[in-house]
Amino acid sequence: MEKQTLLYEGKAKKVYTTQDPELLIVSYKDDATAFNGLKKGTIQGKGVINNQMSNLLMARLERQGVPTHLVRELSPRDTLVRRVSIVPLEVIVRNLAAGSFSKRYGVEEGTAFEVPALELSYKNDELGDPLLNDDHAVALKLATREELAAIRTYTLQIDRMLQKIWASCGVILVDFKVEFGRLPDGTIVLADEISPDTCRLWDAQTREKLDKDRFRRDMGGVEEAYCQVMERLRNSL
Ligand code: TMP
């Protein structure tokens, strides 16, 4: 399968059409942005790590019953995926307080929740991805009630599976963001990526940050952190 025309270029990925109208090629870049594109930079080797990590995790989730867009990895940076129409929601699960939750509600980073907290944002850069609830999503016709129910069930399943995988690597899954898409027949599948760009991953012993927060917060050691979590994941499989 080969790339035809560039369909879309996002902050971290390019998407190409292929000979098959139902399949696309996603190509991961080393470009990194934060704060809705205000901060820009490069994380050397990130594209390769995010591509490979996302594929390893999605293949595992698929085996455990979560449908995904993944077809197969084509090269270190490129993956063949099923074409979906993205549901314009950022679906976030929080197991411990961090980031915007800590800021918004004045809760210390690292405070653990008894049950995971699921949160939705409207995927809209112009508006700065505002927080919304199910009723808002339905009112805005972003998704139906039935789709939101499926998304919630899948996302909580994904959280349980990913927490287990990361725990076996000595890593705490603090929070993460996923996106879903609709296949032509309307079926909801997991899409986009699962990587240190979209998850908060902390060393279980030291609580050292091993994810994109190192870039967002200018902490240094960004490349090393991405390499380290990828190594740990590979060694655990
Ligand atoms: P937040 O605490 O900044 O709201 O982030 C929650 C989670 O979502 C965290 O794991 C990082 C991820 N995330 C993205 O994947 N994309 C984004 O644009 C933002 C703001 C967060």
Side-chain angles (χ1 to χ4, degrees), residues 94-216:
R94 301 181 187 275
N95 297 309
L96 281 73
S100 67
F101 185 98
S102 289
K103 200 169 167 202
R104 184 179 311 115
Y105 303 114
V107 180
E108 194 186 341
E109 277 211 329
T111 307
F113 301 147
E114 273 178 27
V115 288
L118 195 147
E119 174 183 306
L120 298 176
S121 286
Y122 180 15
K123 194 175 146 63
N124 183 320
D125 282 341
E126 269 170 44
L127 299 175
D129 298 340
L131 199 62
L132 47 61
N133 68 23
D134 281 30
D135 285 359
H136 298 155
V138 171
L140 292 167
K141 294 193 163 35
L142 307 181
T144 64
R145 290 264 172 223
E146 293 69 31
E147 287 175 332
L148 289 170
I151 286 172
R152 186 179 177 89
T153 303
Y154 284 142
T155 303
L156 292 175
Q157 253 178 290
I158 293 166
D159 181 45
R160 286 191 293 272
M161 294 170 189
L162 292 182
Q163 279 201 64
K164 222 176 265 173
I165 293 171
W166 283 117
S168 75
C169 305
V171 168
I172 301 171
L173 178 64
V174 175
D175 57 29
F176 64 93
K177 184 267 302 178
V178 282
E179 296 180 23
F180 291 87
R182 299 178 185 99
L183 293 176
D185 71 356
T187 310
I188 293 283
V189 300
L190 178 64
D192 194 50
E193 68 178 278
I194 305 175
S195 72
D197 274 16
T198 63
C199 301
R200 283 198 174 91
L201 303 168
W202 292 359
D203 181 90
Q205 299 294 318
T206 63
R207 298 215 155 193
E208 186 190 359
K209 295 185 198 311
L210 300 171
D211 56 63
K212 194 176 168 190
D213 269 350
R214 300 198 75 88
F215 168 79
R216 295 189 188 99

